[in-house]
Every structure is written in structure tokens, then in C-alpha cells.
Amino acid sequence: MQASFDTQCPFCSVQCKMRVIEEKHTDRRSTFKIEGLPNAASEGRLCVKGINAYQHALSRDRLQKPLLKTDGAFREISWEAALDVIADRFLAIQSEHGADAVGLYGGGSLTNESAYLLGKFARVALKTRYVDYNGRFCMSAAASAGVKTFGLDRGLTNPLSEVMKTECIVLAGTNIAECQPTLMPYFTKAKENGACVIVIDPRTTKTAELADIHLKVKPGTDLALANGLLKVIVEENMTDPSFIASRTNGFEEVLTYVSSLALSDIWALTGIDEADIRRAARAFGRAATGMIFTARGVEQHRDGHMAVRAFLNLILATGKIGKPGCGYGAVTGQGNGQGGREHGQKADQLPGYRLIENAEDRAYVASVWGVAPDDLPGKGVSAYEMMELVHKRDIRALLVMSSNPVVSNPNAGFVEEGLRRLDFLVVADLFLSETALMADLVLPATAFLENEGTLTNLEGRVLLRGGDRPAPGEARHDWRILSDLAARLGKKAYFPYSNAEEIFEELRVASKGGASDYFGITYARLKREEGVYWPCPDPDGPGSARLFERKFAHPDGKASFAKAVHEVPGESADEEYPLVMTNGRMLSHYLTGVQTRRSPTLLARELENVMEIHPRTAERYRIGDGELVRVASRRGSMIVRSRLTADIREDTVFVPMHWGGVQNVNNATNPLLDPFCKMPDFKTSAVRVRALNAA
Ligand code: SF4
């Protein structure tokens, strides 16, 4: 017998659509077949993660009942008992230490409805200021740069389909071939059409193999390189003076600054020589159309916000935005990295990108929620800063939803020590993740196959994901967990939902008039149209596929240049720690690996964590290929297997981010935060390496 249902892959921001076909055999076994279905961005393609995405959802390791830890061991309890325990503990802790003694930690994989409800739950049910999420580590630098430059943060300013029409593409710190593989055909088709592809990356990744020009930059110097490109564009008259004059502010200051820079200094900083800087600048500056994409390689630094702004300066100086084949893309990693940051689970934001410290914004959202504006708490702090407050015991209880902070935060040893100091830790997840194992109480949540809801892909296109498969055991949707808990806290009237669509209906209204306006989007429309771009204020009007055609979102309608001054990376190599470690993803894993390590096929492709190291560097440290190696920074260390490759710079090693415990790269990463967006400096840690079997 056959059953099938349509859904979307949860493992990245493309949100590829698929049909899961289940063949039920007479011996009660089931086998599964996955077919890609054409939708918004994926055009029917699936990568290896998508083809195997059903495996973790059907895993026998899935949590099926709430678990309460007693005397160090988990035992199953009923939902009624679990909700009572949580409500009692939260209320007792708040009554003794104040409302802010309880914090909430969300995730960029939650549906829009659950992300919205998490923010509302924090402000209305718990009245705590402390709510933030793992997307702080994903998108915060690009988001804040977009807001400052354009007045609006949306992943892509124009549809992906326009990539194929552009003449020059800059991919800065993004490895699309492994992180969003089904997007690669857009870039290969652009190349076939004659586009020049420039890749900026310290490694020759699968994406860099596509490059006409590969700038193998030193980690942490992207901002300086972008300034070098702008200097050449200015010197060789490749700017668009009429666009600069009519549509931007602040160019003069940037012009003066970049003119004062010497390309020889930029070469010394970045490792990219003058000829290559000029070649790349001319390719972008002379092209009639061009797009720039950035991702974590540029953004996860102490100057990540300003580094993105330096790349946005290039777009503004050449007038390459607001017209076909021109624009910017922040390549989001997480499944709902875009929607996850719009609806209020960030410390400083309310739904529709409204600001919690803006009186008008507070009043509007409070009116939608049926509370007084003064009842809403104020601005909280970023994800890692919450971990610091946990450490100090200012936050005494924490609810973690769809996230694994003990693995994903920088300086993981410090974070783990903090979480052990909590009076009460609750985790809602699919599995006993590393963080869930530390919890006092664990709640079973539903997976993508079971959980209907909307997600917003990297283009800013809102998509409705089906989720018809029954959940295992007693697993509940995240939004339902929050609603049930709110009822236990005496706030049922504010959380009356019986399905995800009812929450979306409220979200539409809460976002109305905001920067990310969803008011014109409904489930019925999403079913009909297969995705709608926001902002979409009118139910009868189209969404906004290409932004900034006539004006930017700042009050005066103009975009803002920024004088971007290079900061010394958070850490530089020295005698004691002579190499720079950077990190990132592998093709077959997602985030901290909690889900993909439970997919047998995906795990089999990469069983354990590795360190990429150049053969000459490995020889210097007497490390052979495939040896266990300790990689240590000033904060901590990990043990991983060496992988020798000439694709990486000799002064750099690369360790992926998908493992916890002794293999966790974040044992060693640097928690220094960008002052604008609070993004940690994940990408430049000074390390030393040593084979475990060394004498
Ligand atoms: Fe598509 Fe991303 Fe899933 Fe691959 S991981 S199938 S690119 S959504």
C-alpha cells in the first residue's frame, strides 16, 4: 500500500519542496521514496540532505514522552505532570528572583508561527526580557548591515532567478555548493551565460571551483579586501555618479577614506595581491549588472557588521541594486533563518521587525495581543550574553526550544558550566541533544514531516509547509507546547490556538504596517501561489520580489554608505598559537548535527569531525593524514581527525561545526562579540595543533 505527502526539506534556507512516498509492505515494514517537486527556489532539485531528510524524523531515537530527571536519570512522565512541573518551577523562581530570572532560547528552524509565539510567550506569559535565539549566530551581522544601509533586512533583495541574468557575481564567505547545494545551478547557468564569478574564501571549496577569480583571503580580513576593491573602483572611474547622487548618502566620507588606503597595505593584511584585487574590482565595476552574496565567512567576526557594510558600499558605489540582475544576498543557513528573525524571538524586536524600545511599535503590538504597552518587558540581550547571565545566575531557569546552545555557542566549556548552574533547564527537541541531556525536563517536539506551518526562504518568500504525518508517541508541536504552558501559567486567554493557521492569522495582523509586512498573505493564498514575497500589505496585491527599485526603506528614501575601518581580527596567530582556525559546514550535516547525525545515510558520509590542514603545515607539525589531533585555543580544545588538503591556506585550519563533546569546534572558538549586532567572532581563533600520538 502506498501513502504520500508533500513537505519541504528542513535542512537549509532554500526550503526545497518534496513528496515523501511511503510504501507499506505486508510484513509491516515501510520503505520511503523522495521526489523533488518544483517550488519557489528549488525548481524540483534536492541535495543529499533533502533526499535523506526523512530518516531522522523516523528515527527510533525520537523522543515520544516528556522526561523528568530524578536522581540523575530520566523517567517518563505525562504531559499534565510535565506542564505542572514547569509552571510551578518558573513561577517559584520568578517570585523569588523576579520575572527576568527565567529566559527563553529559540531557534531559526522553528516555523514562523512558533517563532512568533515564542516571542509572545516571553513577553506576555512570562513577562521576561530575556529571549533570543541561535539565529544571532547566523544572520545578525547581515541583518543589522541591511537595516543600516538599506533601511530593511531581507535576505535577497531580488529573486534568485535573476542570478542567471547577471554579468558578475561575488560570493564572499559563502560555500553554497555544500550549504545550499540546490542553488548551484543558478550560478552555473549564470556562468554559462558569460558571467564572471568571484569567490572570496580561505579555502578552495566546491563553490570556489566555479570561480573565474578566487581570492583566497586570510580569515578575518574581508572588510579590508572590500575596501581595496572599492578603492580600485573609485580610482578607475567605475562608480555610478548619478545613482550615488540621487539615491545615497555618505559617499564623500567613504571616498576620502578608501582613497587614503594603500593596496600594498591591503595585500599585507589580506594576502591578496594588488593585481588580483584590481582584476576582481574591474570585473565587478565594469559589469553592467552584478550581485554580491555574503555569508558567515564575512559575518562571523568582531567586525562582521561593518564587513558586510563594506561589501554593500560596492553595490551602492556602482549602482547595482533595484534593477534586474543587480542586488545583494545574505545567504541564510538555517531552515527558517529569514522568518525566524522577523517575528519577535530576538531580544530587541517585536513581530514585523518592530522594535521593542519604540513606543509606537510597543503600543501597536500590545494592542494586537490585548495587553497594556507598559506590561511588555524591555529589551533583553543577545544569545551569548544570555549565557553570560546564566553563568552569573542572573538567569536561573531557561526554556530551550529547537536549539542546542551547549554545542552552538562559542566558548562551549563556559556555556556548559553556566547551564549546570541553572536551577531549572527545560528543553523541547526531537532528540536527547547534548543540551537536552543536561536538562531537568525534556519535552518531545514534532519534526518537519508532522508539523504544518510557514517558513520564509532566503529570498524573503513565504512558503507553506505541509506536515500530515502523525507524530510519534506524544510529541507535540512547539506552538502547542507554548500554548499549553501559557494556560498553566494562567494566560490561556492570550494563547487560544487550535492550529498553526490561527497563529498565522494573528501574526499577519501583528506584522501589518511593519517592515516585514505579512498582512496580505494567507494560508489559502500560499496554497494557491506556492509562495509570496514580503512585504505584502495587500491581500489582493502582489508581494515584493525585487526591492528598492525606486527608493530605499530609510525615511528619506536613500541608502547609506558606511566608512568601514578594518579591525584587527579577534585573535591573530602568535608563537604559542601559530595557526588560525576557521569553521563552517559540511555537505551532509546541518547545524550541531542533532538531526543529521541520526540519519544513517548522512552520518555514514561523515562519521566524525575533521580538521582540514595544508600538507606543508601538517608536515611542520608532524601530522599525517587521518590522525587524531588535538586542536587547542586559549579557551579549550577538541579532538578531531586530520584531513590533509592543499585546498586550504597554509596558515589556516578548518574544523566543521556539527559535533558536540570532545569533537566540538566551539570548545575553542572566541566569544568576542561584534558591537553592532553581537555576532561572536567564530571564524578567527588562534590555535595550536598536535597529533595525539606525538611523542
Ligand atoms: Fe534543498 Fe537545502 Fe534541503 Fe538540500 S538541504 S534539499 S538545498 S533545502
Side-chain angles (χ1 to χ4, degrees):
M1 204 175 71
Q2 228 182 40
S4 73
F5 45 95
D6 296 350
T7 182
Q8 287 157 215
C9 171
F11 287 145
C12 88
S13 57
V14 187
Q15 287 296 305
C16 300
K17 188 164 179 175
M18 60 171 74
R19 176 158 299 153
V20 182
I21 303 162
E22 181 176 6
E23 186 78 42
K24 294 179 179 169
H25 301 281
T26 45
D27 59 1
R28 300 177 72 188
R29 266 183 326 112
S30 278
T31 47
F32 292 85
K33 200 170 110 197
I34 309 293
E35 285 176 359
L37 296 176
N39 80 336
S42 67
E43 300 181 327
R45 295 182 287 269
L46 292 174
C47 76
V48 67
K49 284 193 284 284
I51 290 167
N52 296 289
Y54 69 93
Q55 291 185 1
H56 78 276
L58 303 176
S59 165
R60 289 201 185 126
D61 292 349
R62 282 283 302 275
L63 294 166
Q64 303 206 12
K65 288 196 72 152
L67 302 174
L68 179 69
K69 196 179 274 169
T70 321
D71 297 328
F74 284 119
R75 67 178 172 86
E76 292 183 350
I77 59 169
S78 69
W79 271 100
E80 297 302 297
L83 294 168
D84 282 344
V85 171
I86 299 169
D88 288 352
R89 296 291 283 135
F90 279 2
L91 290 172
I93 288 166
Q94 287 190 312
S95 133
E96 194 174 345
H97 302 286
D100 292 339
V102 177
L104 290 161
Y105 194 104
S109 297
L110 292 171
T111 60
N112 288 326
E113 291 79 358
S114 291
Y116 167 80
L117 219 58
L118 191 84
K120 180 177 176 182
F121 181 84
R123 278 73 179 236
V124 174
L126 286 174
K127 295 187 188 296
T128 176
R129 68 176 60 228
Y130 293 130
V131 55
D132 211 61
Y133 80 125
N134 67 4
R136 184 67 70 167
F137 307 148
C138 177
M139 292 308 302
S140 59
S144 61
V147 169
K148 291 283 184 194
T149 303
F150 306 133
L152 180 68
D153 155 38
R154 194 181 83 180
L156 265 65
T157 62
N158 45 332
L160 274 162
S161 54
E162 292 188 8
V163 170
M164 297 182 286
K165 299 177 196 150
T166 194
E167 289 182 15
C168 184
I169 298 165
V170 177
L171 297 169
T174 174
N175 183 8
I176 286 170
E178 295 203 58
C179 303
Q180 296 85 10
T182 60
L183 296 189
M184 278 307 273
Y186 289 107
F187 298 93
T188 49
K189 277 182 204 155
K191 237 187 114 120
E192 283 162 21
N193 292 338
C196 172
V197 177
I198 301 166
V199 171
I200 299 171
D201 199 304
R203 298 188 301 144
T204 308
T205 60
K206 290 283 174 212
T207 310
E209 287 174 10
L210 193 72
D212 298 282
I213 303 171
H214 178 196
L215 305 177
K216 216 164 179 172
V217 67
K218 281 185 193 168
T221 63
D222 308 272
L223 185 156
L225 180 57
N227 278 342
L229 296 171
L230 184 58
K231 178 182 174 66
V232 176
I233 283 170
V234 166
E235 271 179 10
E236 300 191 8
N237 298 319
M238 293 181 280
T239 58
D240 182 340
S242 107
F243 182 91
I244 293 169
S246 62
R247 301 211 44 198
T248 71
N249 290 316
F251 182 61
E252 286 307 314
E253 190 187 13
V254 174
L255 177 65
T256 308
Y257 176 63
V258 296
S259 301
S260 74
L261 300 173
L263 287 186
S264 54
D265 292 340
I266 291 173
W267 176 7
L269 273 174
T270 62
I272 308 299
D273 69 28
E274 184 172 336
D276 281 341
I277 294 174
R278 284 195 187 279
R279 209 153 60 93
R282 286 171 186 153
F284 188 74
R286 288 177 183 162
T289 54
M291 293 183 69
I292 296 180
F293 295 82
T294 69
R296 308 307 84 72
V298 169
E299 298 157 16
Q300 288 181 328
H301 296 287
R302 68 180 300 184
D303 62 359
H305 166 92
M306 289 311 290
V308 176
R309 296 202 72 185
F311 282 96
L312 298 184
N313 284 345
L314 292 168
I315 288 176
L316 297 182
T318 55
K320 288 189 172 68
I321 192 157
K323 52 192 181 189
C326 291
Y328 168 64
V331 189
T332 315
Q334 293 200 70
N336 198 24
Q338 177 63 55
R341 67 186 190 265
E342 298 169 17
H343 309 300
Q345 62 173 334
K346 270 180 98 172
D348 54 345
Q349 286 182 358
L350 292 168
Y353 275 144
R354 287 186 161 87
L355 295 175
I356 201 157
E357 292 197 310
N358 177 296
E360 211 177 301
D361 288 353
R362 285 170 70 88
Y364 177 73
V365 175
S367 74
V368 176
W369 288 348
V371 298
D374 288 348
D375 278 352
L376 295 179
K379 178 178 162 184
V381 297
S382 71
Y384 185 76
E385 291 171 305
M386 271 177 63
M387 292 299 129
E388 291 176 325
L389 294 180
V390 165
H391 216 270
K392 282 167 61 185
R393 286 184 52 75
D394 286 355
I395 294 176
R396 304 253 177 158
L398 194 65
L399 167 60
V400 175
M401 189 158 259
S402 186
S403 204
N404 191 13
V406 76
V407 179
S408 60
N409 271 262
N411 200 12
F414 171 86
V415 172
E416 180 174 345
E417 197 185 311
L419 292 177
R420 293 199 189 287
R421 294 181 181 187
L422 283 167
D423 292 342
F424 189 56
L425 174 61
V426 189
V427 175
D429 209 325
L430 310 185
F431 299 104
L432 277 177
S433 67
E434 287 82 355
T435 307
L437 280 168
M438 297 177 67
D440 300 288
L441 208 154
V442 180
L443 302 172
T446 50
F448 75 107
L449 294 180
E450 304 134 17
N451 188 7
E452 184 186 53
T454 62
L455 298 101
T456 306
N457 83 350
L458 79 166
E459 298 171 284
R461 194 166 356 193
V462 185
L463 303 163
L464 177 60
R465 181 180 74 190
D468 287 346
R469 197 180 160 78
E474 298 176 14
R476 289 187 183 179
H477 302 316
D478 298 296
W479 62 261
R480 189 171 160 211
I481 293 171
L482 293 167
S483 302
D484 291 346
L485 194 48
R488 281 297 197 288
L489 293 164
K491 305 286 182 184
K492 186 173 173 49
Y494 301 98
F495 296 82
Y497 320 103
S498 54
N499 57 50
E501 186 173 3
E502 289 175 6
I503 302 168
F504 190 79
E505 283 299 304
E506 185 180 299
L507 180 160
R508 288 177 58 219
V509 178
S511 73
K512 188 178 178 185
S516 61
D517 191 332
Y518 282 47
F519 185 68
I521 306 172
T522 61
Y523 270 35
R525 189 169 173 184
L526 291 174
K527 282 175 191 161
R528 252 189 349 260
E529 297 182 30
E530 284 277 359
V532 179
Y533 288 91
W534 69 257
C536 181
D538 181 355
D540 298 317
S544 311
R546 189 184 305 120
L547 299 175
F548 315 135
E549 288 178 297
R550 282 179 297 282
K551 58 179 185 152
F552 291 96
H554 285 305
D556 65 359
K558 293 188 173 182
S560 300
F561 278 95
K563 177 181 160 188
V565 179
H566 171 70
E567 296 268 355
V568 178
E571 260 185 345
S572 302
D574 56 25
E575 221 168 272
E576 206 181 343
Y577 296 94
L579 296 168
V580 171
M581 180 183 72
T582 185
N583 65 3
R585 286 199 196 191
M586 291 168 144
L587 173 63
S588 49
H589 286 288
Y590 177 61
L591 301 185
T592 61
V594 170
Q595 294 171 25
T596 47
R597 282 186 272 126
R598 282 161 175 102
S599 161
T601 308
L602 294 176
L603 182 64
R605 292 173 66 96
E606 294 285 358
L607 278 168
E608 58 186 353
N609 208 358
V610 297
M611 171 191 70
E612 289 187 3
I613 185 169
H614 194 282
R616 279 194 286 273
T617 315
E619 191 180 1
R620 205 175 329 134
Y621 295 102
R622 296 197 176 85
I623 293 171
D625 194 23
E627 278 194 77
L628 285 177
V629 181
R630 183 179 294 281
V631 186
S633 77
R634 287 180 174 81
R635 291 156 295 280
S637 67
M638 81 223 68
I639 296 171
V640 291
R641 202 167 287 282
S642 64
R643 184 173 284 174
L644 271 56
T645 169
D647 288 341
I648 193 163
R649 290 177 58 93
E650 286 186 46
D651 54 7
T652 303
V653 295
F654 170 83
V655 180
M657 54 186 253
H658 311 297
W659 279 266
V662 294
Q663 298 186 69
N664 187 0
V665 66
N666 282 322
N667 294 340
T669 50
N670 190 349
L672 185 68
L673 301 181
D674 181 304
F676 293 95
C677 59
K678 309 294 181 181
M679 170 72 88
D681 194 333
F682 284 104
K683 289 284 193 280
T684 47
S685 302
V687 296
R688 59 179 175 232
V689 295
R690 184 179 163 89
L692 278 194
N693 66 1

